[in-house]
Amino acid sequence: MESPTPNAKARPATPARIYDYILGGIHNFPADQEAARRILELYPDARVMARANRAFLRRAIRFLTDAGIRQFLDVGSGIPSQGNVHEIAQPAAPGSRVVYVDIDPVAVAEGLELLAGNPNATSIHGDLRRPGEILNNATLRKLLDLDQPVALLIAAVLHFIPDDDRPYALVAELVAALPAGSYLLLSQSATEAVQPESSNAQTIIDLYKRQAATASKARTRAEFERFFTGLDLVDPGVVWVAEWRPDSAEAEQFVEQPERSLLWAGVARKPSTTTA
Ligand SMILES: C[S@@+](CC[C@H](N)C(=O)[O-])C[C@H]1O[C@@H](n2cnc3c(N)ncnc32)[C@H](O)[C@@H]1O
């Protein structure tokens, strides 16, 4: 990425770049760094939470490639740097195709740069609140065959979509465009999450909101589960992100208190008779 240019100081913080900084990435500007440091000061667990979410993604992508999925649509992908979907899916299942979508133009530009030379992965600009535009995007249509199963990934994004924006209808519209045998992967901030020194996940995302002017909403387990209506949740169902098929030391820090991973997670398969 362009390292801080004369303009960089003027760039407002965005969730994609705040998250990149929290993950230890280099694709961020001073305002993002300041916002992220403020979040980390108040909630040191935010970094572990972001890593636990990425670890969930890695485990779930392996599950999905094992299940035969070869197409991935990652909405709200952030900056597809280290450990992202194509880096897991393509070695596991060569020829897998990945389309990253993000509302942040810098995340998209970074994605295109990182993916240069990879004919089976690309990054497009899109807004989850406009699913039709995502689905009709010409670049997406060139890479993904929507008549074949697709894994739709919406990880750590739905808390940026308040109820007024009809998040359930948005997710349902995307799922409806995919054939039976497709999968939906979600994670989202939990109302029930416990932070050691204070309140809950809503406080962190409120902080994101103030720092990045992004609306936000933690959800209860029941509210989160509702996103999977009409789909078949795969084991273990809806759980804390660190509890979804843990397979390594990555999740160990949450063994005693999985609710500290702050996010609900789930993966579900679209059955042939769904109306979702
Ligand atoms: C916390 S990051 C999650 C990144 C990645 N999905 C992961 O789980 O590691 C949230 C991302 O969602 C993006 N985002 C927020 N609102 C969005 C929207 N309405 N449409 C598309 N992307 C959005 C942000 O720009 C940011 O990159």
Side-chain angles (χ1 to χ4, degrees):
M1 157 174 231
E2 19 177 338
S3 61
T5 60
N7 263 339
K9 284 202 169 98
R11 289 179 195 250
T14 71
R17 300 194 301 258
I18 293 174
Y19 186 68
D20 177 71
Y21 180 86
I22 288 177
L23 275 171
I26 55 163
H27 307 283
N28 44 71
F29 297 119
D32 309 303
Q33 294 156 14
E34 201 183 308
R37 278 196 292 268
R38 173 109 185 91
I39 289 169
L40 286 167
E41 248 169 48
L42 290 174
Y43 302 103
D45 272 4
R47 174 162 281 147
V48 188
M49 181 265 287
R51 289 184 176 156
N53 180 56
R54 278 291 168 115
F56 156 65
L57 261 177
R58 281 194 287 275
R59 298 192 301 274
I61 301 303
R62 278 186 223 117
F63 164 83
L64 291 165
T65 53
D66 285 351
I69 293 292
R70 297 294 179 266
Q71 304 193 99
F72 296 85
L73 175 56
D74 185 355
V75 181
S77 57
I79 297 160
S81 52
Q82 284 189 340
N84 226 291
V85 179
H86 68 285
E87 290 175 319
I88 298 141
Q90 292 179 339
S96 290
R97 283 163 281 157
V98 183
V99 173
Y100 294 108
V101 183
D102 206 279
I103 199 171
D104 180 351
V106 174
V108 179
E110 281 299 303
L112 288 172
E113 205 173 299
L114 285 161
L115 299 168
N118 187 332
N120 287 326
T122 194
S123 190
I124 62 171
H125 185 252
D127 185 340
L128 176 56
R129 293 166 300 180
R130 299 173 186 272
E133 287 177 18
I134 294 176
L135 293 166
N136 290 319
N137 180 285
T139 306
L140 179 151
R141 288 292 183 147
K142 234 167 110 183
L143 204 58
L144 300 186
D145 176 357
L146 299 189
D147 292 328
Q148 296 298 318
V150 174
L152 170 62
L153 320 173
I154 310 178
V157 185
L158 285 168
H159 40 254
F160 296 119
I161 310 288
D163 288 344
D164 285 352
D165 283 332
R166 302 163 49 251
Y168 298 101
L170 300 174
V171 172
E173 188 174 337
L174 288 170
V175 171
L178 307 177
S182 294
Y183 284 83
L184 174 66
L185 172 155
L186 301 176
S187 64
Q188 114 111 69
S189 290
T191 309
E192 298 91 334
V194 176
Q195 275 286 292
E197 353 169 337
S198 71
S199 46
N200 56 40
Q202 185 64 46
T203 318
I204 291 189
I205 54 183
D206 283 346
L207 208 60
Y208 257 104
K209 180 179 173 180
R210 281 204 298 281
Q211 307 282 0
T214 304
S216 49
K217 167 94 167 77
R219 293 194 168 88
T220 64
R221 183 184 182 136
E223 287 169 335
F224 179 71
E225 239 165 27
R226 209 183 125 195
F227 285 109
F228 296 103
T229 302
L231 307 176
D232 296 334
L233 275 162
V234 303
D235 284 344
V238 164
V239 289
W240 293 107
V241 79
E243 290 180 321
W244 199 91
R245 301 185 181 223
D247 67 357
S248 74
E250 285 170 322
E252 268 177 21
Q253 26 211 334
F254 293 119
V255 165
E256 301 289 326
Q257 267 186 298
E259 65 276 17
R260 279 180 64 195
S261 58
L262 292 180
L263 302 164
W264 292 124
V267 177
R269 185 175 186 276
K270 182 172 178 175
S272 34
T273 52
T274 185
T275 51

